[in-house]
Amino acid sequence: MSQDLQQRIAELSAELHQHNYLYHVRNEPAITDAVYDRLFRELQDLEAKHPEYARADSPTQRVGSDLSGDFPKVRHPAPILSLSNAFDEADLVNWEERNRRLLPADAKLRYVLQPKLDGLAIVITYENGVLTRAATRGNGEFGDDVTANVRTIRSAPLRIPVDSNGIAAPERLVARGEILFHKDAFLELNREQAAQGLPAYVNARNTASGSLKQKDSRETAKRKLTAYIYGIVDSDGVDLATEWETLQYLGDMGFNVIPDAALCRDLADVKGRLSSWEAKRDDLPFEIDGLVLKVDSQAHARELGVVGKDPRGAIAYKFPAEEAATGLIGVTIGVGRTGKITPTAQLEPVFIGGVTVSNASLHNYEQVAALDIRFGDRVIVKRSGDVIPYVIGPVPGARNGSETAILLPGTCPFCDTKLIQPAGAVDWFCPNRNCPERVMRALEFFVSRGAMDIEGMGPKTIGALIDNDLIEDEADIFFLETEPLLALEGFAEKKVENLLASIEGAKARPFEQVLTSLGIDGIGSTVAGLLVQNFASIQDLLNTSGEIQAANEAFARAVEPLLAHEPSGDADIRKLLIRLRRPLTDLVPRYLDGAKLNERLNRLLKPLGFSAEQVGFIEDSLSRLITASRPLHSIEGLGPVLVENVAAWFTDEHNRAVLEKMKSAGVNMRAEEKVVSSSALADQTFVLTGAMSVPRGEVKALVEANGGKVTSSVSKKTSYVVAGDSPGSKVDKAISNKVPVISEEELHKLISG
């Protein structure tokens, strides 16, 4: 028996050492974090039960490292320890029982419970209130000096206390925290990548780490990183008795402390909160992979001490894994309503997050190439909440040499049309508007709930109507008649009657819903609502889009001769030429205010050596484009890419013909006139977040009925953020922009004066 135990401990040690090497040195992980945790935990348990067999070189005695050769090294004033893990309530009970054996019998254990952030650990030193040094965790003893980069993070105060609130700064304070991307900031970063034709980042934590270790701090400053501070490593002049007091003190100093931390009276209180935390993890503004549980009493924590690399007074409670490794056995290709080509991974079925997954998104072919995903790979798949499962990347260490490259097909698999990649785009498209798959997907979307909501028109019905040449586009639906439908197999009289009644009812859908159903790229219900607030009818959108197209074409005609002999070899000049060829997205937003346009254009165009006359020529053309597109560009929440999408869609001849047919069929093409009961909220802009006492749409209608405007995003122009229960990150953004946050009750008080 003892020989078997020794052999298993040796096997686990060797396996974990190999995986550490693959992960940290080769950057070729062969297993998921969850599998690594299980192996590590098994070794820990065996060593705890049989310490006589523990090896001096055991992986449990090591602390991971994020050290880089590119930065000076800093010695931490105290070891920056990691945490041991608990995977269920039984582990927490065992942890507490072990701790109680080391404490006096009458010790009362309270706990601080807070989310476990999935970011990069940071240690920041303040001397007499001034930030003097910031370092990564490194190997726990030494870290990389990233002071210049941390100074660019707005949520990391350069001086404490931030507010003059009567609290003096200590002579020295060394604080520990985490640097990470909020979910919306990470999405925005990937949108910027897509706009530049660059591959998307996949892992927010790794991207945060790379952002913090930029050699040029100006590059770090461009990334919207957030710093959270949750502990004190060392200090002069700070004496706090509890972990809870520590969090309060850090908050009073002006640090961005982790929200929703809770002081729990005992372990039963902690266990009662676990399920609710797991349920709301996907609603948080940042990624978490579990919770951190700390003994509240600092005296108890010191008495418990450290075992190996882990403090006994704290533990990480890990949520069930949302990632798993499985085999990639094939790739299917989908074509969306806009023609976008989407690869989907066919997987060996694997259980993740409570469900069996056999398909997962591969995003796009550029992402496949960037991640080097191959047929036959073992891949890591993630499923989070209701998000569609997606492939994070391959497991290079599991390859045997038989894997083959995944290549973009040259033609559409449904109509054999040659695929195209528009300038600046990441995705590839089937350009054939009559591609049967494109038509099918467009019609499915058009009739779906949230769009025109036509009951009885599912995929099978749409397929039958297309196959029998009864419909070719969305407008044809409104011209369907009884007799041709009754002639179809499976179309009984009652079914036909109900279908036609539903189609007739759809003609009166609100203008906002009609706009949503058109399937304009990037225009969902929220953006459609913004358009309806600014355009009274489809005809207004058609007219504005036509004017934009004419001005855009005139600008291209004016500029193209000047670019006939392009300077080459200079990256900045190449970027400038791209801007001149994409004025609607790259120039108009920049000069929308029109102030000192000639002067600003002269500065912009100076590298091209244009004459004053040529710059004036460009200025005239750009001024006309600004005037034409101002009605769209000035809508808050409508970015330049969406403006371009709207203008392109409404100037397309096919789309205009479909709209004309819909209009002749009696489909509603105008916004309802808003009934304004008062002007109490006139010229004020509101953002709604969280759960309200009534449906959000009713609150929106109330604001608009009293002269106010509701937008989807917070900016400095926002007048108020109305926060209900469980509000999201919009409240944080409001606070950072100094926008007042009010309750639903306070909104009613504003209306009543």
Side-chain angles (χ1 to χ4, degrees):
M1 179 66 176
S2 62
Q3 189 173 358
D4 291 342
L5 283 171
Q6 282 182 287
Q7 184 176 349
R8 181 56 182 160
I9 287 173
E11 288 173 352
L12 286 168
S13 295
E15 188 174 356
L16 288 167
H17 278 311
Q18 175 66 10
H19 289 307
N20 276 328
Y21 169 74
L22 290 172
Y23 186 93
H24 292 290
V25 179
R26 296 285 299 276
N27 197 28
E28 296 178 355
I31 57 175
T32 65
D33 290 347
V35 173
Y36 182 92
D37 285 344
R38 284 200 296 271
L39 294 173
F40 192 90
R41 184 186 182 201
E42 182 185 352
L43 180 60
Q44 272 186 318
D45 290 345
L46 288 174
E47 289 179 345
K49 293 174 183 175
H50 305 280
E52 68 275 16
Y53 299 141
R55 302 162 61 96
D57 65 346
S58 172
T60 62
Q61 304 305 307
R62 299 187 61 183
V63 177
S65 172
D66 62 17
L67 289 172
S68 165
D70 297 331
F71 291 87
K73 302 299 175 278
V74 174
R75 182 188 288 274
H76 298 305
I80 307 302
L81 303 172
S82 58
L83 297 178
S84 60
N85 294 325
F87 296 92
D88 52 34
E89 292 185 11
D91 287 344
L92 294 178
V93 171
N94 292 335
W95 170 69
E96 183 180 69
E97 289 176 351
R98 288 195 299 270
N99 286 344
R100 285 196 177 281
R101 288 195 289 269
L102 299 172
L103 294 171
D106 61 347
K108 181 175 174 59
L109 290 178
R110 298 197 307 175
Y111 299 101
V112 172
L113 185 68
Q114 53 193 322
K116 184 177 182 296
L117 303 178
D118 190 18
L120 183 74
I122 195 74
V123 179
I124 308 179
T125 300
Y126 291 84
E127 296 178 357
N128 296 314
V130 178
L131 191 159
T132 58
R133 177 176 290 165
T136 65
R137 175 174 173 265
N139 60 12
E141 183 180 1
F142 291 93
D144 286 332
D145 188 334
V146 289
T147 307
N149 292 346
V150 169
R151 288 182 188 277
T152 70
I153 300 173
R154 294 180 181 275
S155 49
L158 299 178
R159 179 181 291 275
I160 56 172
V162 173
D163 293 328
S164 180
N165 49 15
I167 303 176
E171 286 185 26
R172 181 168 164 275
L173 178 71
V174 184
R176 178 176 178 177
E178 207 93 358
I179 303 289
L180 48 76
F181 277 107
H182 275 182
K183 292 175 183 176
D184 56 358
F186 190 59
L187 287 172
E188 183 179 337
L189 177 62
N190 272 333
R191 280 195 292 268
E192 291 172 359
Q193 288 288 105
Q196 297 175 49
L198 300 173
Y201 295 105
V202 175
N203 184 289
R205 185 194 180 281
N206 291 348
T207 308
S209 176
S211 300
L212 193 62
K213 292 192 174 185
Q214 294 288 325
K215 293 181 180 179
D216 185 345
S217 61
R218 291 173 296 182
E219 293 301 312
T220 304
K222 294 176 184 177
R223 308 286 176 87
K224 293 183 179 178
L225 294 167
T226 298
Y228 285 100
I229 301 299
Y230 52 73
I232 296 177
V233 177
D234 197 17
S235 67
D236 293 333
V238 180
D239 186 17
L240 300 166
T242 68
E243 185 68 26
W244 189 248
E245 288 177 7
T246 299
L247 288 179
Q248 304 304 311
Y249 176 80
L250 291 170
D252 291 342
M253 278 287 156
F255 289 110
N256 190 27
V257 295
I258 301 175
D260 299 323
L263 179 61
C264 303
R265 60 183 179 275
D266 52 28
L267 192 60
D269 188 9
V270 171
K271 291 191 290 184
R273 298 171 186 260
L274 297 180
S275 59
S276 63
W277 263 108
E278 192 169 346
K280 70 180 182 180
R281 65 183 294 192
D282 294 320
D283 297 326
L284 296 172
F286 40 68
E287 295 283 357
I288 67 171
D289 58 0
L291 302 169
V292 174
L293 184 61
K294 295 181 181 179
V295 170
D296 185 42
S297 167
Q298 299 282 24
H300 288 341
R302 285 192 294 271
E303 193 170 350
L304 288 169
V306 176
V307 55
K309 62 183 177 64
D310 308 323
R312 290 192 180 95
I315 195 167
Y317 175 82
K318 302 295 282 288
F319 291 140
E322 293 185 317
E323 297 178 7
T326 188
L328 173 63
I329 56 179
V331 174
T332 57
I333 300 170
V335 178
R337 66 180 188 273
T338 63
K340 185 167 74 173
I341 303 296
T342 305
T344 298
Q346 305 303 304
L347 308 167
E348 293 175 358
V350 61
F351 195 73
I352 315 173
V355 300
T356 299
V357 174
S358 56
N359 301 302
S361 171
L362 283 167
H363 302 290
N364 55 64
Y365 279 93
E366 290 211 3
Q367 186 80 327
V368 170
L371 296 175
D372 189 24
I373 301 171
R374 308 175 189 176
F375 285 115
D377 264 336
R378 283 191 71 73
V379 292
I380 298 174
V381 183
K382 181 167 185 174
R383 178 185 179 273
S384 179
D386 295 327
V387 176
I388 296 171
Y390 60 94
V391 175
I392 291 179
V395 184
R399 286 176 175 161
N400 58 21
S402 65
E403 298 78 17
T404 57
I406 297 172
L407 301 176
L408 174 78
T411 61
C412 172
F414 297 95
C415 68
D416 207 31
T417 302
K418 185 177 180 180
L419 301 181
I420 63 169
Q421 187 180 39
V426 172
D427 295 297
W428 288 79
F429 290 81
C430 168
N432 178 14
R433 188 187 304 282
N434 297 317
C435 170
E437 189 69 5
R438 281 191 62 177
V439 172
M440 182 71 180
R441 298 301 168 215
L443 288 168
E444 279 183 344
F445 178 78
F446 184 77
V447 303
S448 65
R449 185 171 297 176
M452 293 303 279
D453 195 12
I454 300 177
E455 292 185 20
M457 191 168 272
K460 287 185 178 179
T461 298
I462 293 172
L465 296 174
I466 292 173
D467 292 343
N468 287 275
D469 298 324
L470 293 180
I471 59 173
E472 292 182 354
D473 57 41
E474 297 87 340
D476 288 339
I477 292 171
F478 299 103
F479 293 93
L480 290 171
E481 296 178 341
T482 302
E483 295 305 321
L485 290 174
L486 289 173
L488 301 179
E489 184 179 349
F491 280 70
E493 188 173 338
K494 188 63 177 175
K495 177 179 178 177
V496 171
E497 181 183 329
N498 290 340
L499 177 59
L500 292 177
S502 183
I503 291 171
E504 187 63 30
K507 293 179 182 179
R509 297 282 183 250
F511 184 38
E512 182 176 324
Q513 207 166 327
V514 174
L515 277 180
T516 303
S517 73
L518 297 178
I520 305 169
D521 195 13
I523 310 301
S525 58
T526 299
V527 178
L530 295 176
L531 292 174
V532 170
Q533 288 175 9
N534 292 272
F535 293 88
S537 69
I538 284 282
Q539 192 58 52
D540 290 345
L541 279 164
L542 288 167
N543 293 343
T544 297
S545 298
E547 291 168 5
I548 292 173
Q549 182 189 36
N552 203 29
E553 290 174 352
F555 183 90
R557 288 194 299 272
V559 168
E560 199 57 40
L562 302 177
L563 307 181
H565 304 289
E566 299 177 0
S568 59
D570 188 308
D572 290 335
I573 287 181
R574 284 199 299 273
K575 288 181 183 178
L576 182 51
L577 295 173
I578 290 172
R579 283 182 178 175
L580 288 170
R581 289 197 169 98
R582 297 172 53 183
L584 199 57
T585 57
D586 292 18
L587 291 181
V588 173
R590 185 179 182 138
Y591 302 113
L592 192 62
D593 60 5
K596 299 180 180 178
L597 182 56
N598 184 270
E599 180 182 325
R600 292 160 72 187
L601 278 177
N602 266 302
R603 285 199 301 269
L604 177 74
L605 302 173
K606 186 176 181 180
L608 295 176
F610 288 166
S611 67
E613 183 181 2
Q614 289 171 324
V615 173
F617 197 40
I618 292 174
E619 179 190 0
D620 290 341
S621 299
L622 184 58
S623 294
R624 287 192 289 271
L625 182 55
I626 289 172
T627 300
S629 62
R630 191 183 302 280
L632 282 172
H633 271 299
S634 60
I635 298 175
E636 188 176 347
L638 199 69
V641 173
L642 292 183
V643 169
E644 187 174 51
N645 290 349
V646 170
W649 197 95
F650 282 102
T651 52
D652 181 272
E653 288 303 321
H654 171 82
N655 295 336
R656 293 171 76 95
V658 169
L659 289 176
E660 189 58 39
K661 283 165 64 178
M662 287 172 61
K663 182 179 178 182
S664 66
V667 176
N668 175 37
M669 298 287 184
R670 295 193 64 85
E672 293 181 16
E673 289 190 20
K674 291 188 175 74
V675 178
V676 179
S677 54
S678 84
S679 57
L681 307 180
D683 300 323
Q684 297 186 61
T685 303
F686 295 78
V687 171
L688 311 179
T689 182
M692 307 286 178
S693 64
V694 295
R696 189 90 62 83
E698 291 186 24
V699 180
K700 179 174 180 286
L702 178 67
V703 170
E704 291 172 348
N706 287 278
K709 182 180 177 182
V710 175
T711 62
S712 59
S713 57
V714 180
S715 72
K716 291 181 180 179
K717 295 179 181 178
T718 305
S719 306
Y720 296 95
V721 168
V722 184
D725 294 335
S726 303
S729 58
K730 291 177 181 177
V731 168
D732 297 330
K733 192 167 184 180
I735 293 170
S736 68
N737 281 302
K738 297 183 179 178
V739 173
V741 179
I742 62 174
S743 66
E744 195 178 345
E745 181 182 355
E746 288 170 314
L747 172 64
H748 286 282
K749 289 180 180 178
L750 279 178
I751 293 171
S752 65

